[in-house]
Amino acid sequence: MDERKYIDEAVSAFRALLEEQIKRQDKMAAAAGSREENGADGAVKKEQVTIGIASGDGIGPVIMAEAVKVLKTLLKDELASGKAELKEIEGLTIENRMAKGEAVPAEVLSEIKKCDVLLKGPTTTPKGGTLESANVTLRRELDLYANVRPVQVPGEGIDWMFFRENTEGEYVLGSRGIEIPGRLSMDFKVTTDAGTRRIARAAFDYAKAAGKTKVAIVTKANIMKKTDGSFSRICHEVAADYPGIEADDWYIDIMTANLVNPAVRRDFQVFLMPNLYGDILTDEAAEIQGGVGTAGSANIGDRYAMFEAIHGSAPRMVEEGLAEYANPASILKACEMMLRHVGFSDKADRLAEALAICLEEEKKVVVTGTSDGAKAAEFGDYVASKLK
């Protein structure tokens, strides 16, 4: 094996990656100045709002059908008057993406960009190969840098809000690592100053507006000294602008333990973390809430926003013939977040109240993900009935 050839190719490739990421950092820094001047907060403030609907793969079309059902009930008048539009986005399927060789085909991305917000079902990412995750691509192309996930367990006093950096870390270059066959493989992790400052600012802005007093900064800075070390340092620099809000450092390993420790977990309020840790920790938190099928997620940038369930496309459920028993609660909670984002707070409140009745109080229709439980359509009808 000619190792020198592989090393020379790797050095050349890494130089190109560095130059690319420096340009990205500079672009973000310039945008930050514009954002501060304009006072943008990412929320949509328009007379007419276009909501893109992309069902995705696997159980996606099943749960999305219930989301559309509920939205049509809630937004009946707005849809009739033209104040709101539900626009179906076709082509964001594994079959089309594989055929085109693109994580998000260009024509699909173009249609998404015509919308103000996107409600997206789970999409499948093939194992191996080079086809990137559709989510990673969308977050990058739409610059959706803030992944925001609420988790609540009222009976235990848990009211958590997670702010996960959405465009950097291990994900931004995850499909562009280096391999010397039979010897070693290397992937890259990226932390930029501008990327960290904007997610930190989003978390502390939320904490201030919501009356929160604690932000937990979650990293592994004792090991990843350059990337996580920079993330922690920058977050504390931002925290200095928010007197009255306590910023504490936590390592990801102990934080995963803290979340399952009833003696301490209710003390946490807002979490701020890099991409990979946020991906892992929010799934754990969702399980505490009742499962990943109960949690919604927002991906927010300065121009676009995407809302989705936090779980995947569940190919095993499809293979076992159980797709119709998938739980739509997650995508419905994403709908609640989306409605707030586009200025329909009263509609969001109605949906939140209906979900609380259906999931926590009455529990007359229970989805278990098996044939012993209710079907997605039955739960969607149940929620819709509480909105009329």
Side-chain angles (χ1 to χ4, degrees):
M1 175 184 295
D2 185 359
E3 290 185 355
R4 176 60 58 185
K5 173 178 176 292
Y6 282 105
I7 292 172
D8 289 344
E9 290 176 352
V11 169
S12 176
F14 188 57
R15 180 182 181 87
L17 292 178
L18 280 174
E19 292 173 345
E20 171 192 294
Q21 293 304 306
I22 289 171
K23 288 180 181 178
R24 190 174 68 87
Q25 144 70 29
D26 292 345
K27 183 178 180 181
M28 286 188 291
S34 173
R35 181 165 61 248
E36 291 174 4
E37 289 178 6
N38 296 329
D41 61 5
V44 175
K45 299 178 179 67
K46 295 178 65 177
E47 290 299 317
Q48 196 272 341
V49 176
T50 301
I51 301 170
I53 304 290
S55 296
D57 304 312
I59 63 171
V62 175
I63 62 173
M64 187 62 78
E66 304 317 306
V68 171
K69 178 189 299 180
V70 166
L71 288 174
K72 286 183 175 180
T73 301
L74 274 171
L75 300 176
K76 180 180 178 181
D77 293 339
E78 288 76 12
L79 292 170
S81 67
K83 187 175 181 180
E85 176 190 4
L86 301 181
K87 176 182 175 66
E88 184 176 356
I89 305 294
E90 298 181 349
L92 196 64
T93 63
I94 185 60
E95 294 83 6
N96 189 46
R97 290 183 286 126
M98 289 288 285
K100 297 289 181 63
E102 299 175 272
V104 179
E107 67 275 14
V108 177
L109 183 61
S110 176
E111 289 301 304
I112 289 172
K113 287 184 174 181
K114 294 176 183 177
C115 304
D116 297 300
V117 294
L118 176 67
L119 184 65
K120 176 188 161 295
T123 47
T124 298
T125 303
K127 294 180 180 179
T130 59
L131 189 68
E132 188 176 48
S133 157
N135 268 11
V136 171
T137 300
L138 285 169
R139 289 164 181 166
R140 181 180 64 248
E141 293 297 324
L142 303 178
D143 201 21
L144 307 176
Y145 59 85
N147 186 273
V148 184
R149 297 182 176 182
V151 169
Q152 298 172 326
V153 186
E156 294 189 35
I158 291 174
D159 184 10
W160 296 330
M161 186 66 81
F162 294 85
F163 280 80
R164 164 193 173 193
E165 200 294 315
N166 219 15
T167 61
E168 298 195 345
E170 295 83 355
Y171 289 60
V172 65
L173 299 175
S175 61
R176 299 169 66 185
I178 292 168
E179 183 175 14
I180 298 179
R183 301 298 296 276
L184 62 84
S185 301
M186 295 180 68
D187 285 319
F188 301 108
K189 178 172 182 171
V190 180
T191 297
T192 66
D193 186 295
T196 303
R197 288 188 189 280
R198 64 183 185 178
I199 187 63
R201 189 73 63 187
F204 280 97
D205 280 346
Y206 165 79
K208 181 178 179 180
K212 304 296 183 181
T213 58
K214 296 180 181 180
V215 174
I217 302 166
V218 185
T219 67
K220 193 63 176 171
N222 57 331
I223 302 299
M224 307 299 291
K225 296 181 184 294
K226 296 292 190 296
T227 51
D228 286 11
S230 292
F231 189 93
S232 175
R233 172 182 57 79
I234 293 167
C235 287
H236 280 285
E237 290 175 2
V238 171
D241 294 333
Y242 297 81
I245 299 178
E246 181 182 348
D248 290 326
D249 279 299
W250 294 89
Y251 295 140
I252 180 61
D253 45 354
I254 191 61
M255 185 55 82
T256 59
N258 285 337
L259 291 198
V260 294
N261 183 350
V264 301
R265 64 188 184 187
R266 67 173 58 90
D267 295 332
F268 294 104
Q269 298 177 354
V270 180
F271 300 79
L272 170 58
M273 66 209 85
N275 209 332
L276 178 61
Y277 308 144
D279 194 359
I280 296 168
L281 204 63
T282 52
D283 278 6
E284 182 192 18
E287 281 297 319
I288 294 168
Q289 179 177 258
V292 293
T294 69
S297 174
N299 302 267
I300 298 174
D302 295 326
R303 168 62 181 87
Y304 300 101
M306 177 174 74
F307 299 82
E308 59 184 344
I310 75 168
H311 56 71
S313 57
R316 187 173 302 171
M317 287 189 72
V318 176
E319 291 169 5
E320 295 175 358
L322 296 173
E324 62 185 334
Y325 293 94
N327 193 342
S330 54
I331 198 73
L332 294 179
K333 289 196 174 183
C335 287
E336 178 198 336
M337 299 177 76
M338 181 189 70
L339 289 167
R340 293 192 193 284
H341 185 78
V342 298
F344 295 137
S345 295
D346 56 333
K347 311 291 185 181
D349 289 341
R350 287 177 60 197
L351 179 53
E353 182 179 353
L355 286 170
I357 292 171
C358 296
L359 290 170
E360 300 165 18
E361 298 173 18
E362 292 184 354
K363 300 181 180 180
K364 291 182 179 179
V365 178
V366 178
V367 180
T368 64
T370 69
S371 58
D372 293 332
K375 295 180 178 179
E378 293 171 324
F379 186 79
D381 289 341
Y382 183 33
V383 174
S385 72
K386 302 299 180 182
L387 300 170
K388 295 178 180 179

